[in-house]
Amino acid sequence: MNNENALQDLKKCFINSPQPSFKVTNYFQIYSEIFAHLRDVDCTFIETGVLNGGSLFMWRKWLGEKARIIGVDLNPSAKKWEEYGFEIYIGDQGDSLFWQNFFKEIGPFDVLLDDGGHQSFQQIVTLTEAIKAAKNKCIIAIEDTCTSFFKEFSGHDQHSFLEYAKDSTDSLLAKTSEFFPGQFPPIVNSKIEEQFSSVYSIQFYSGLVAYTIDPAIQERPKLLWNHLPKSESAASDFRYNGTSQAIVDWPDLFKEQKIVVKGRGA
């Protein structure tokens, strides 16, 4: 089934869910892109934030009867959805110990979608504990990342979830640090390098960040020539021969600024 069909089916499943739910409209496109491969296959789909239960029914209808749908919420009343065949766990998503016990009990998972409390520390704890627990290729998606900017959620000061996610992209380059000895800054936080070593990609969308985890990919990248050029015919590298700097409009939404970005010779 192509992506457009998956998208339209998802919207129908949302509208026809027997219980209330609300979603940001652009999320449906994102969901259909990153989750559609799990339709009609055995999979474990976890969502934090049960609320009125509507999205649990949406996921089950869209993914198919083979899907194991698990809801996580702090409100004990969410347990009532178990009578409809869902697994419901009551716990605090900001508590690392809760997640550690949770993952031990449920085993491998394919998706964790965080639509829970939206406070930065909750999102960070959920993400990091899920990465640690991942035993197979899976997706951890944190949504409603706009709350990193909201006054209501500003207790994080400058350490919002989005800043955490942006900084974590550096971990994708950690394995390439040996390409050119002496060029890459020394990695001093080996604990963080190891923690994110199974992260294959980090995708940023409007309102959502999706981490693809693949513990099977552990190879350190290497530079590979198909064959070495002969010295007399090797091309010269002209990268430093042109303009040595550029004035750019820096992509800061909250401050207008032009920045001079310098090259080696500036």
Side-chain angles (χ1 to χ4, degrees), residues 54-113:
S55 62
L56 298 177
F57 290 88
M58 177 188 76
W59 293 124
R60 183 165 66 188
K61 182 66 175 178
W62 188 65
L63 292 172
E65 293 299 326
K66 294 180 180 179
R68 177 189 182 194
I69 308 296
I70 301 175
V72 175
D73 206 291
L74 188 57
N75 186 345
S77 70
K79 274 286 188 180
K80 66 184 180 183
W81 302 115
E82 287 185 332
E83 66 181 274
Y84 296 90
F86 303 108
E87 296 178 47
I88 303 296
Y89 287 79
I90 304 301
D92 183 350
Q93 74 168 115
D95 182 353
S96 293
L97 185 58
F98 162 73
W99 284 118
Q100 291 163 17
N101 292 330
F102 171 82
F103 288 121
K104 284 179 184 177
E105 185 167 343
I106 70 159
F109 62 95
D110 298 282
V111 168
L112 189 153
L113 176 62

XYZ file of all heavy atoms in Angstrom, residues 54-113:
504
model
N -8.943 7.572 22.710
C -9.261 7.551 21.285
C -8.128 7.104 20.388
O -8.346 6.380 19.406
N -6.894 7.516 20.706
C -5.784 7.153 19.817
C -5.442 5.670 19.902
O -4.928 5.099 18.940
C -4.551 8.008 20.120
O -4.097 7.802 21.436
N -5.717 5.037 21.034
C -5.468 3.595 21.137
C -6.286 2.842 20.092
O -5.776 1.940 19.414
C -5.828 3.088 22.539
C -5.038 3.663 23.713
C -5.583 3.090 25.020
C -3.552 3.368 23.584
N -7.551 3.228 19.960
C -8.419 2.593 18.960
C -7.954 2.934 17.543
O -8.018 2.090 16.643
C -9.865 3.041 19.169
C -10.509 2.499 20.407
C -10.408 3.172 21.619
C -11.209 1.299 20.372
C -10.994 2.666 22.769
C -11.812 0.785 21.520
C -11.695 1.472 22.717
N -7.504 4.165 17.342
C -7.004 4.576 16.033
C -5.819 3.721 15.618
O -5.769 3.198 14.491
C -6.590 6.045 16.061
C -5.979 6.547 14.761
S -5.298 8.230 14.897
C -3.765 7.910 15.812
N -4.841 3.552 16.542
C -3.650 2.767 16.190
C -3.998 1.319 15.894
O -3.480 0.725 14.952
C -2.620 2.854 17.311
C -2.023 4.210 17.498
C -2.010 4.961 18.642
C -1.356 5.002 16.506
N -1.389 6.159 18.434
C -0.973 6.212 17.126
C -1.058 4.813 15.163
C -0.292 7.221 16.444
C -0.384 5.810 14.477
C -0.010 6.998 15.110
N -4.888 0.738 16.693
C -5.230 -0.669 16.476
C -5.924 -0.867 15.132
O -5.634 -1.823 14.410
C -6.115 -1.201 17.611
C -6.429 -2.696 17.454
C -6.970 -3.303 18.727
N -8.268 -2.739 19.075
C -8.896 -2.987 20.229
N -8.329 -3.758 21.141
N -10.069 -2.460 20.476
N -6.839 0.041 14.799
C -7.549 -0.083 13.531
C -6.589 0.096 12.361
O -6.660 -0.633 11.361
C -8.667 0.960 13.469
C -9.512 0.902 12.204
C -10.315 -0.387 12.120
C -11.233 -0.376 10.918
N -11.987 -1.645 10.786
N -5.672 1.053 12.473
C -4.767 1.370 11.357
C -3.662 0.334 11.215
O -3.341 -0.084 10.099
C -4.166 2.760 11.582
C -3.364 3.276 10.424
C -3.829 3.588 9.175
C -1.963 3.566 10.414
N -2.800 4.054 8.381
C -1.643 4.054 9.122
C -0.944 3.469 11.358
C -0.345 4.448 8.759
C 0.344 3.858 11.006
C 0.624 4.332 9.718
N -3.090 -0.095 12.317
C -1.987 -1.059 12.259
C -2.482 -2.478 11.996
O -1.766 -3.277 11.398
C -1.183 -1.016 13.559
C -0.385 0.271 13.812
C 0.195 0.264 15.219
C 0.731 0.437 12.783
N -3.693 -2.796 12.440
C -4.235 -4.134 12.227
C -4.249 -4.957 13.500
O -3.632 -4.603 14.513
N -4.938 -6.063 13.443
C -5.166 -6.896 14.626
C -3.900 -7.569 15.151
O -3.865 -8.055 16.283
C -6.228 -7.953 14.322
C -7.625 -7.379 14.093
C -8.148 -6.641 15.321
O -7.840 -7.055 16.463
O -8.864 -5.644 15.140
N -2.842 -7.632 14.336
C -1.599 -8.242 14.798
C -0.828 -7.330 15.739
O 0.102 -7.768 16.412
C -0.715 -8.619 13.605
C -1.282 -9.707 12.710
C -0.329 -10.013 11.563
C -0.883 -11.092 10.651
N 0.040 -11.375 9.506
N -1.190 -6.074 15.787
C -0.453 -5.098 16.592
C -0.789 -5.242 18.073
O -1.948 -5.406 18.449
C -0.762 -3.685 16.120
N 0.236 -5.188 18.876
C 0.091 -5.140 20.328
C 0.145 -3.673 20.729
O 1.177 -3.009 20.577
C 1.232 -5.922 20.983
C 1.262 -5.905 22.500
C 2.569 -6.546 22.986
N 2.641 -6.603 24.435
C 3.773 -6.865 25.130
N 4.907 -7.098 24.464
N 3.754 -6.899 26.444
N -0.963 -3.132 21.231
C -1.059 -1.720 21.552
C -0.967 -1.540 23.069
O -1.768 -2.108 23.815
C -2.374 -1.098 21.046
C -2.574 -1.416 19.557
C -2.380 0.399 21.300
C -1.535 -0.832 18.639
N 0.011 -0.760 23.496
C 0.244 -0.534 24.918
C 0.122 0.950 25.219
O 0.735 1.790 24.555
C 1.650 -1.017 25.340
C 1.812 -2.516 25.042
C 1.895 -0.741 26.819
C 3.206 -3.049 25.314
N -0.672 1.289 26.210
C -0.816 2.666 26.650
C -0.148 2.878 27.999
O -0.181 1.993 28.861
N 0.473 4.038 28.161
C 1.125 4.401 29.421
C 0.542 5.724 29.892
O 0.460 6.682 29.121
C 2.652 4.537 29.246
C 3.304 5.032 30.544
C 3.274 3.215 28.805
N 0.124 5.786 31.154
C -0.447 7.020 31.686
C -0.255 7.033 33.198
O -0.112 5.977 33.834
C -1.940 7.111 31.347
C -2.431 8.556 31.293
O -2.491 9.194 32.369
O -2.726 9.043 30.192
N -0.255 8.225 33.766
C -0.149 8.367 35.219
C -1.510 8.277 35.898
O -1.602 7.995 37.094
C 0.529 9.702 35.551
C 0.909 9.970 37.002
C 1.826 8.879 37.549
C 1.588 11.339 37.130
N -2.574 8.489 35.145
C -3.934 8.478 35.686
C -4.434 7.035 35.812
O -4.589 6.341 34.808
C -4.861 9.264 34.758
C -6.259 9.425 35.334
O -6.643 8.749 36.284
N -7.033 10.322 34.747
N -4.696 6.557 37.036
C -5.138 5.169 37.218
C -6.411 4.822 36.453
O -6.646 3.646 36.132
C -5.370 5.057 38.735
C -4.552 6.152 39.331
C -4.569 7.273 38.321
N -7.246 5.821 36.143
C -8.498 5.527 35.448
C -8.255 5.004 34.032
O -9.163 4.425 33.419
C -9.392 6.767 35.399
O -8.847 7.756 34.532
N -7.061 5.190 33.512
C -6.751 4.687 32.170
C -6.820 3.161 32.103
O -6.949 2.590 31.015
C -5.369 5.167 31.738
N -6.773 2.506 33.230
C -6.846 1.038 33.281
C -8.144 0.503 32.665
O -8.210 -0.651 32.238
C -6.744 0.556 34.727
C -5.322 0.369 35.233
C -4.695 -0.883 34.625
C -3.367 -1.230 35.236
N -2.765 -2.447 34.635
N -9.164 1.356 32.597
C -10.450 0.880 32.085
C -10.356 0.442 30.629
O -11.185 -0.338 30.154
C -11.517 1.965 32.230
C -11.290 3.206 31.369
C -12.348 4.272 31.645
C -12.130 5.516 30.804
N -13.120 6.574 31.119
N -9.343 0.922 29.903
C -9.237 0.563 28.491
C -8.707 -0.854 28.286
O -8.725 -1.365 27.175
C -8.362 1.579 27.763
C -8.909 2.971 27.883
C -8.347 4.027 28.513
C -10.166 3.433 27.383
N -9.163 5.127 28.450
C -10.291 4.794 27.752
C -11.207 2.836 26.662
C -11.404 5.558 27.423
C -12.320 3.605 26.333
C -12.405 4.939 26.708
N -8.291 -1.497 29.372
C -7.843 -2.890 29.251
C -8.989 -3.812 28.843
O -8.768 -4.837 28.194
C -7.228 -3.361 30.566
C -5.863 -2.748 30.828
C -5.185 -3.310 32.066
O -5.908 -3.740 33.008
O -3.948 -3.319 32.105
N -10.232 -3.454 29.211
C -11.353 -4.318 28.856
C -11.609 -4.334 27.349
O -12.351 -5.172 26.846
C -12.618 -3.900 29.598
C -13.147 -2.535 29.214
C -14.395 -2.169 29.995
O -15.502 -2.556 29.541
O -14.266 -1.513 31.065
N -10.950 -3.418 26.613
C -11.068 -3.394 25.153
C -9.878 -4.069 24.465
O -9.728 -3.977 23.255
C -11.203 -1.949 24.667
C -12.468 -1.289 25.153
C -12.487 -0.587 26.368
C -13.652 -1.353 24.418
C -13.643 0.023 26.823
C -14.818 -0.741 24.859
C -14.800 -0.056 26.065
O -15.958 0.556 26.511
N -9.064 -4.735 25.265
C -7.961 -5.499 24.690
C -6.629 -4.779 24.647
O -5.654 -5.327 24.118
N -6.549 -3.569 25.189
C -5.275 -2.852 25.234
C -4.536 -3.195 26.526
O -5.144 -3.517 27.533
C -5.507 -1.339 25.171
C -6.281 -0.893 23.963
C -7.589 -0.448 24.079
C -5.705 -0.933 22.707
C -8.312 -0.033 22.977
C -6.415 -0.518 21.581
C -7.724 -0.076 21.719
N -3.213 -3.102 26.467
C -2.415 -3.229 27.683
C -2.166 -1.817 28.215
O -1.721 -0.943 27.474
C -1.082 -3.913 27.388
C -1.214 -5.351 26.904
C 0.137 -5.960 26.577
O 1.069 -5.825 27.405
O 0.283 -6.549 25.488
N -2.458 -1.605 29.482
C -2.311 -0.282 30.082
C -1.370 -0.375 31.290
O -1.555 -1.219 32.172
C -3.661 0.292 30.533
C -4.646 0.354 29.352
C -3.465 1.666 31.166
C -4.236 1.290 28.237
N -0.375 0.490 31.295
C 0.553 0.578 32.423
C 0.432 1.953 33.054
O 0.453 2.972 32.355
C 1.993 0.345 31.957
C 2.280 -1.097 31.624
C 1.872 -1.646 30.410
C 2.945 -1.917 32.526
C 2.124 -2.972 30.099
C 3.210 -3.256 32.225
C 2.794 -3.767 31.013
O 3.040 -5.092 30.709
N 0.293 1.959 34.371
C 0.180 3.212 35.108
C 1.542 3.533 35.718
O 2.106 2.725 36.466
C -0.877 3.115 36.222
C -2.230 2.689 35.629
C -0.989 4.440 36.951
C -2.772 3.621 34.568
N 2.072 4.695 35.345
C 3.376 5.067 35.872
C 3.763 6.472 35.465
O 3.133 7.098 34.608
N 4.817 6.947 36.098
C 5.315 8.307 35.913
C 6.413 8.290 34.862
O 7.493 7.743 35.094
C 5.844 8.815 37.255
C 6.320 10.248 37.199
O 6.422 10.819 36.096
O 6.608 10.810 38.288
N 6.170 8.915 33.713
C 7.137 8.859 32.634
C 8.416 9.645 32.926
O 9.419 9.475 32.242
C 6.529 9.347 31.320
C 6.332 10.842 31.224
C 6.016 11.289 29.809
O 4.916 11.789 29.575
N 6.935 11.144 28.873
N 8.376 10.499 33.948
C 9.581 11.213 34.345
C 10.451 10.434 35.307
O 11.510 10.922 35.727
N 10.045 9.204 35.627
C 10.753 8.350 36.590
C 11.509 7.254 35.834
O 10.896 6.355 35.251
C 9.736 7.745 37.559
C 10.366 6.871 38.624
O 11.583 6.614 38.557
O 9.635 6.419 39.524
N 12.824 7.300 35.845
C 13.627 6.312 35.121
C 13.338 4.892 35.590
O 13.306 3.952 34.775
C 15.122 6.618 35.298
O 15.468 7.829 34.673
N 13.134 4.719 36.894
C 12.895 3.379 37.427
C 11.607 2.790 36.868
O 11.540 1.586 36.583
C 12.849 3.421 38.953
C 12.725 2.067 39.658
C 13.890 1.151 39.281
C 12.663 2.260 41.177
N 10.581 3.630 36.697
C 9.345 3.125 36.092
C 9.631 2.535 34.725
O 9.182 1.434 34.398
C 8.298 4.238 35.964
C 7.211 3.895 34.976
C 6.240 2.952 35.292
C 7.181 4.474 33.712
C 5.252 2.599 34.365
C 6.200 4.144 32.787
C 5.231 3.202 33.109
N 10.364 3.273 33.887
C 10.645 2.791 32.532
C 11.499 1.537 32.547
O 11.276 0.610 31.748
C 11.333 3.886 31.720
C 10.418 4.974 31.255
C 10.485 6.297 31.579
C 9.287 4.836 30.380
N 9.476 6.992 30.967
C 8.722 6.128 30.213
C 8.706 3.747 29.721
C 7.605 6.362 29.418
C 7.582 3.987 28.916
C 7.051 5.269 28.780
N 12.461 1.464 33.426
C 13.326 0.286 33.484
C 12.515 -0.967 33.801
O 12.687 -2.016 33.168
C 14.430 0.504 34.511
C 15.441 1.561 34.086
C 16.299 2.077 35.228
O 16.392 1.453 36.290
N 16.923 3.234 35.031
N 11.610 -0.854 34.758
C 10.748 -1.993 35.096
C 9.761 -2.287 33.967
O 9.477 -3.452 33.662
C 9.987 -1.703 36.395
C 10.902 -1.657 37.602
O 11.939 -2.327 37.636
N 10.542 -0.859 38.593
N 9.240 -1.246 33.350
C 8.293 -1.392 32.243
C 8.921 -2.169 31.087
O 8.342 -3.136 30.577
C 7.856 -0.002 31.786
C 7.054 0.018 30.508
C 5.697 -0.234 30.514
C 7.674 0.315 29.289
C 4.952 -0.195 29.327
C 6.939 0.356 28.111
C 5.579 0.099 28.126
N 10.097 -1.770 30.660
C 10.725 -2.420 29.508
C 11.140 -3.860 29.821
O 11.100 -4.726 28.939
C 11.919 -1.599 29.021
C 11.540 -0.324 28.329
C 11.980 0.912 28.805
C 10.723 -0.341 27.205
C 11.625 2.086 28.174
C 10.356 0.833 26.563
C 10.814 2.051 27.051
N 11.512 -4.110 31.054
C 11.815 -5.490 31.442
C 10.579 -6.373 31.299
O 10.670 -7.536 30.895
C 12.307 -5.533 32.895
C 13.733 -5.070 33.093
C 14.117 -5.138 34.565
C 15.514 -4.579 34.798
N 15.869 -4.577 36.247
N 9.421 -5.804 31.615
C 8.176 -6.582 31.577
C 7.649 -6.785 30.164
O 7.198 -7.884 29.816
C 7.117 -5.911 32.442
C 5.838 -6.716 32.559
C 4.919 -6.210 33.655
O 5.371 -5.459 34.538
O 3.719 -6.572 33.617
N 7.707 -5.752 29.330
C 7.070 -5.878 28.011
C 7.986 -6.495 26.958
O 7.521 -7.042 25.974
C 6.539 -4.533 27.499
C 7.699 -3.595 27.135
C 5.590 -3.886 28.482
C 7.293 -2.498 26.193
N 9.304 -6.399 27.144
C 10.226 -6.958 26.151
C 10.432 -6.029 24.970
O 10.189 -4.813 25.069
N 10.851 -6.565 23.823
C 11.155 -5.718 22.652
C 9.930 -4.939 22.182
O 8.790 -5.380 22.328
C 11.601 -6.743 21.597
C 12.024 -7.941 22.365
C 11.141 -7.998 23.578
N 10.185 -3.783 21.592
C 9.106 -2.951 21.058
C 9.536 -2.394 19.711
O 10.725 -2.349 19.375
C 8.759 -1.827 22.035
C 9.879 -0.861 22.300
C 9.990 0.323 21.579
C 10.844 -1.132 23.260
C 11.024 1.215 21.809
C 11.889 -0.243 23.506
C 11.980 0.932 22.772
N 8.555 -1.966 18.936
C 8.815 -1.425 17.602
C 8.655 0.086 17.537
O 9.321 0.751 16.739
C 7.883 -2.087 16.580
C 8.118 -3.579 16.497
O 9.091 -3.978 15.854
O 7.329 -4.325 17.105
N 7.753 0.619 18.343
C 7.532 2.066 18.378
C 7.228 2.482 19.806
O 6.467 1.810 20.512
C 6.353 2.491 17.469
C 5.958 3.948 17.742
C 6.703 2.337 16.004
N 7.820 3.595 20.219
C 7.351 4.306 21.399
C 7.034 5.722 20.944
O 7.928 6.445 20.487
C 8.379 4.324 22.531
C 7.842 4.872 23.865
C 8.606 4.275 25.035
C 7.891 6.395 23.950
N 5.779 6.091 21.038
C 5.319 7.428 20.675
C 4.975 8.169 21.961
O 4.057 7.779 22.684
C 4.096 7.353 19.764
C 3.445 8.690 19.384
C 4.412 9.560 18.595
C 2.161 8.455 18.599
